[in-house]
Amino acid sequence: MTESGDNAVEIRLAERPHGEPTMANFEIADVDAGRPGPGQALVRNTWLSVDPYMRGRMSSAKSYAAPYEVGEPMTGGAVGEVVASNADGLAVGDTVLHQLGWRTHAIVDTDNAAKIDVTSAPAQAYLGVLGMPGLTAYAGLFDVARFAEGDAVFVSGAAGAVGSMVGQLAKLRGASRVIGSAGSAEKVRWLTEELGFDAAFNYKDGPVADQLKAAAPDGVDVYFDNVGGEHLEAAIGSMNLGGRIAICGMISQYNATEPQPGPRNLVQFIAKRITMRGFLVGDHLDARPRFVDEVAPLVGDGSIVYSETVVDGIRSAPQAFLDLLAGSNTGKMLVRV
Ligand SMILES: NC(=O)c1ccc[n+]([C@@H]2O[C@H](COP(=O)([O-])OP(=O)(O)OC[C@H]3O[C@@H](n4cnc5c(N)ncnc54)[C@H](OP(=O)(O)O)[C@@H]3O)[C@@H](O)[C@H]2O)c1
């Protein structure tokens, strides 16, 4: 063991949000970094992931992931460098991916920290394009929505970490048309001019159904839903015969305090033989080797473009999370510790 007793910072859940989260929901605490016990390593985190699913874990409602506890540090994806180790297989200087984010230092063991290769991609890429969001896009598009060459694809939240991958993967595998929606003119420009989307629109500019019909005059075969609500109803209205919908997220409803009305046009499922399936990336970890084999070279040679929105400093992490929900990120939202 070479280092211990560092001054460390962790972000705790101070209180559960009602509706939109605020800074009052978080507590920034100065703590001791601690010492790794037998079989453990101390990691100095370098990058933290902030993700929409964390909004769900701030609530006490039962879901697929346990709620964060009030007064306790929050968790999430992180990468960092091993600075002290009593763990076989984790050496000082190794870069690891683990789930003890929202803090500057983490004590991990070999079961919950994976060494990553930072010679082929920067460490933070394992939180985004080559990490959980990338795999979510890959598994959702190919395994859940069963994308086939020639399909027309619509993705909402298209300028985010998941959505930007969905559109590019569909293009690279031979989509006939890729349409994205996002929340600003600059994001729309990025999608069409830099990512190769055939069409994109700002959902704040007018009814989604009208804008989608104009952008996809021949309809949509696959809808990858990151948003829910009005977007889902619009997509159903534009689906072609045999259309498939992958429900990845419904961010438009994460802050809702009352149950939200469903799409009013579900009757269209019958004649159009639409299928709709929800999924969790955690159920598709078997796809990871396929995903890495196919996508890592495409990222390496620039065929897949990715963007990161970087916020500096652990103390900025709560604001980064609020900004993510408000749409200030293009691509993956990250905190550089
Ligand atoms: N099922 C799974 O296993 C899984 C795994 C990862 C992520 N997800 C889901 O996938 C979605 C995207 O996640 P991500 O990590 O890639 O996040 P992200 O898209 O990078 O960031 C969230 C984005 O959501 C948009 N947004 C916020 N409120 C909105 C609203 N009311 N209507 C429309 N758009 C809104 C914002 O962009 P705009 O400027 O465009 O509004 C914001 O940038 C989320 O719904 C997330 O929960 C699911």
Side-chain angles (χ1 to χ4, degrees), residues 115-138:
K115 270 201 269 188
I116 54 175
D117 173 12
V118 289
T119 58
S120 53
Q124 73 275 20
Y126 293 87
L127 297 173
V129 66
L130 295 178
M132 183 279 279
L135 179 60
T136 302
Y138 187 91

Side-chain angles (χ1 to χ4, degrees), residues 68-109:
Y68 296 132
E69 294 296 333
V70 173
E72 294 293 319
M74 294 166 62
T75 58
V79 291
E81 193 185 323
V82 175
V83 291
S85 181
N86 298 320
D88 289 342
L90 292 179
V92 170
D94 284 348
T95 303
V96 292
L97 171 69
H98 62 90
Q99 290 301 315
L100 291 174
W102 289 99
R103 67 199 78 192
T104 55
H105 293 72
I107 290 180
V108 302
D109 58 38

